[in-house]
Amino acid sequence: MTPAIDIRRAWRIYETDAGYTPALRGVTLSVARGEFLAIMGPSGSGKSTLMNILGCLDRPTSGTYLLEGIDVTELSEDDLAHVRASRLGFVFQSFNLLPRATVLRNVMLPLVYSDTPPHDRELAAWRALRSVGLPEEHYLHRSNELSGGQMQRVAIARALVNDPAIIFADEPTGNLDTATGEMVMRTFRRMQRRGKTIVLITHDPEVAAWADRTVHIRDGKLFSDEEERAYLAGLAARKDGEKGAEKDGGIGPASFSPAPPASPLRSKLLGVPCL
Ligand SMILES: Nc1ncnc2c1ncn2[C@@H]1O[C@H](COP(=O)(O)OP(=O)(O)OP(=O)(O)O)[C@@H](O)[C@H]1O
Ligand SMILES: [Mg+2]
């Protein structure tokens, strides 16, 4: 079966008055259908840029991107909008709900652009809300009358209402306390069990632990879990070396720490006694 996501050698270079920013630098990633993938990385590493491209909200400057086997880099804006509306769902850190509209209206919103009849829209919204476990008593509340966790569940229901194949979530637990975040992650796992592909962005390893696989992004480049661990181990070893050198009165990293000076001249230069 073709993967849900197959992006290769993708670059995204932003062009501003200040110059060029290469936010993605040759990203290659494949996500199987039904897989739950976490993408981790520090602030500014390119996570949202990648998600915008994977979610067909933006296009790579170069590279190829096949979404469920279709080359989306070739599609028109209208066709991309159709792909988003029919195949993709989005969840954001800040919920992005209409505060004064009811829960039900918020969830029905993505269907406004489809040709679903009004009665069916309401039914679909009802179903989506039930699937994320929000009690019915809240469906006619305004969304600004809900708690953070309830708002995020409404946002997930909105992402599910068009029955998408792939759900993209950018820091969906970033504004939630640990217990509420866990509840939201359980909801994603449930969606995965129902066959959805999930791509979730987070900087929190505990959140990433809910996924089947984690990839890491740094300075616009992707790394596997193993590569990231090796990189961090190397970094820690270098830091330890520097600390050791400082403790010994050294002036640089461990690799610079000199052998005992063999001559009075070297002893003077290095400020340590000649042995
Ligand atoms: N629209 C834009 N125009 C110009 N530069 C941008 C734009 N969006 C992002 N960038 C730059 O691209 C790089 C990656 O940004 P991105 O938003 O993808 O990072 P991120 O990993 O999502 O960060 P955060 O964790 O803070 O959300 C940053 O250097 C950022 O300043
Ligand atoms: Mg971001």
Side-chain angles (χ1 to χ4, degrees), residues 157-180:
R158 185 186 51 189
L160 290 171
V161 74
N162 58 345
D163 194 25
I166 310 174
I167 300 170
F168 294 98
D170 193 351
E171 294 279 5
T173 59
N175 280 329
L176 303 175
D177 61 73
T178 310
T180 315

Side-chain angles (χ1 to χ4, degrees), residues 126-225:
W126 204 273
R127 257 193 230 118
L129 281 163
R130 212 179 278 154
S131 75
V132 298
L134 191 77
E136 280 180 24
E137 71 213 50
H138 297 300
Y139 293 7
L140 294 176
H141 284 165
R142 292 175 182 197
S143 71
N144 63 2
E145 293 165 353
L146 302 177
S147 71
Q150 288 168 338
M151 282 188 203
Q152 195 54 301
R153 277 192 280 175
V154 174
I156 297 175
R158 185 186 51 189
L160 290 171
V161 74
N162 58 345
D163 194 25
I166 310 174
I167 300 170
F168 294 98
D170 193 351
E171 294 279 5
T173 59
N175 280 329
L176 303 175
D177 61 73
T178 310
T180 315
E182 261 188 49
M183 182 189 72
V184 165
M185 293 313 296
R186 248 181 244 116
T187 309
F188 281 117
R189 287 291 286 210
R190 214 162 48 240
M191 296 312 131
Q192 184 198 17
R193 280 201 293 277
R194 290 184 195 165
K196 312 279 182 207
T197 305
I198 299 179
V199 177
L200 179 141
I201 286 172
T202 182
H203 62 265
D204 183 347
E206 285 184 26
V207 170
W210 288 82
D212 300 324
R213 176 165 66 107
T214 300
V215 293
H216 302 262
I217 183 165
R218 258 182 299 109
D219 300 329
K221 288 187 185 167
L222 275 196
F223 299 89
S224 69
D225 238 358

